[in-house]
């Protein structure tokens, strides 16, 4: 399909993100008292530098680049967690961020965390109840769902987080490194679930260091380097250029 017969769902228009950090690496609160006295140790970080692109319905878009290239900053700007310093992000519906760092409570059971995680994603209690069995089955945790999360291995926790977040259809879903966890079989099932979301008219952004996951899941790739969009095009073309540059 060419762009003329597709529906734009996300427009990123010349987005810049710039913030100030102390030399120690801590972000600066511009409203803090005594800021003038501390300015010698402050430097400005230009995390995104004029990034622009349009994402369409039914696209699965990989986001690649080395550490510090601006991938996570771009995703945080898409979901509204990091406001642009300049430029704008437009979306037809609120993007949902699926990250393996999603906060679940270690002292509560997997069962209770399903409820909390679902509520945090905006589900109604009745929706969570209806999805419960599907989530437990996908996460492969039927025998352990009544145990506290602190008894779970990191892989079990990651499977549960993914199962909760991917249990419902999303119009715009951002997956940040979620496929880097779990065994190969679970990764394959995760990729299959992401493709299903995309095929049901969803748009998926996948941030990953795994070129295998990107190639298996995405039809288009954005390559970021030092806050700039270096390349935007078909997966094989962009991944090949990225690998050749390293």
């Amino acid at each position: 399909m060419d762009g003329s017969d597709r529906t734009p769902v996300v427009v990123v228009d010349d987005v810049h993100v710039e913030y100030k950090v102390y030399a120690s690496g801590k972000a600066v609160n511009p409203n803090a008292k005594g800021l003038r006295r501390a300015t010698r140790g402050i430097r400005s970080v230009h995390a995104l530098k004029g990034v622009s692109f349009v994402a369409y319905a039914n696209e699965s878009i990989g986001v690649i680049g080395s550490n510090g290239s601006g991938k996570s900053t771009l995703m945080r700007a898409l979901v509204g967690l990091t406001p642009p310093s300049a430029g704008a992000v437009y979306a037809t519906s609120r993007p949902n961020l699926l990250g393996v760092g999603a906060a679940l409570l270690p002292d509560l059971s997997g069962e209770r965390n399903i409820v909390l995680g679902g509520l945090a994603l905006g589900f109604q209690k009745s929706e969570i109840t209806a999805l419960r069995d599907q989530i437990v089955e996908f996460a492969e945790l039927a025998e352990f769902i009544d145990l506290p999360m602190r008894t779970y291995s990191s892989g079990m926790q990651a499977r549960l987080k993914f199962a909760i977040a991917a249990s419902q259809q999303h119009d715009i879903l951002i997956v940040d490194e979620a496929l880097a966890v779990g065994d190969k079989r679970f990764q394959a099932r995760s990729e299959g679930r992401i493709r299903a979301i995309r095929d049901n008219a969803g748009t998926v952004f996948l941030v990953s260091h795994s070129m295998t996951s990107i190639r298996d899941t995405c039809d288009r790739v954005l390559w970021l380097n030092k806050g700039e969009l270096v390349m935007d095009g078909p997966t094989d073309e962009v991944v090949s250029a990225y690998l050749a540059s390293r």
Side-chain angles (χ1 to χ4, degrees):
M1 288 192 297
D2 60 42
S4 62
D5 56 1
R6 295 186 294 173
T7 306
V9 293
V10 176
V11 176
V12 174
D13 182 18
D14 194 27
V15 165
H16 292 255
V17 171
E18 193 168 359
Y19 51 89
K20 291 179 169 51
V21 294
Y22 288 122
S24 65
K26 292 179 179 176
V28 176
N29 176 359
N31 300 316
K33 292 181 180 177
L35 188 62
R36 284 183 185 164
R37 291 195 298 275
T39 51
R40 186 179 297 173
I42 291 175
R43 64 187 178 90
S44 183
V45 175
H46 207 157
L48 291 177
K49 304 171 183 174
V51 174
S52 298
F53 63 88
V54 178
Y56 299 91
N58 291 89
E59 277 197 310
S60 187
I61 301 171
V63 183
I64 64 173
S66 57
N67 288 331
S69 60
K71 303 186 300 296
S72 292
T73 303
L74 176 59
M75 296 304 102
R76 288 173 64 84
L78 288 188
V79 299
L81 292 172
T82 299
S85 309
V89 176
Y90 306 95
T92 54
S93 63
R94 186 173 179 272
N96 289 298
L97 175 63
L98 165 60
V100 293
L104 297 182
L105 299 180
D107 289 333
L108 296 185
S109 67
E111 183 94 49
R112 293 295 299 157
N113 272 296
I114 289 174
V115 175
L116 285 178
L119 291 173
L121 287 169
F123 294 173
Q124 299 295 321
K125 194 85 181 281
S126 57
E127 291 177 305
I128 301 168
T129 303
L131 290 167
R132 183 259 182 208
D133 290 350
Q134 173 190 320
I135 291 169
V136 174
E137 182 183 354
F138 193 95
E140 301 173 349
L141 290 172
E143 296 173 45
F144 311 101
I145 206 64
D146 294 326
L147 297 177
M149 280 275 290
R150 58 182 155 73
T151 65
Y152 291 10
S153 68
S154 58
M156 290 163 74
Q157 292 184 34
R159 294 205 307 268
L160 183 59
K161 290 171 184 174
F162 184 93
I164 293 168
S167 61
Q168 200 174 54
Q169 180 64 26
H170 298 269
D171 293 332
I172 305 167
L173 179 64
I174 295 168
V175 184
D176 195 348
E177 287 293 7
L179 300 186
V181 296
D183 57 24
K184 287 207 178 325
R185 189 172 60 87
F186 187 76
Q187 286 181 34
R189 292 175 65 221
S190 301
E191 290 167 5
R193 177 63 192 134
I194 288 170
R195 282 193 290 270
I197 290 171
R198 177 197 65 197
D199 293 344
N200 287 315
T203 301
V204 178
F205 291 87
L206 173 61
V207 182
S208 181
H209 288 286
S210 167
M211 295 305 110
T212 303
S213 287
I214 293 286
R215 281 188 156 128
D216 287 348
T217 314
C218 304
D219 38 49
R220 174 184 170 191
V221 171
L222 307 174
W223 169 17
L224 291 172
N225 184 49
K226 296 180 180 175
E228 296 179 347
L229 183 58
V230 177
M231 197 171 177
D232 172 5
T235 298
D236 282 339
E237 201 176 299
V238 179
V239 168
S240 297
Y242 172 67
L243 292 175
S245 75
R246 301 182 74 187

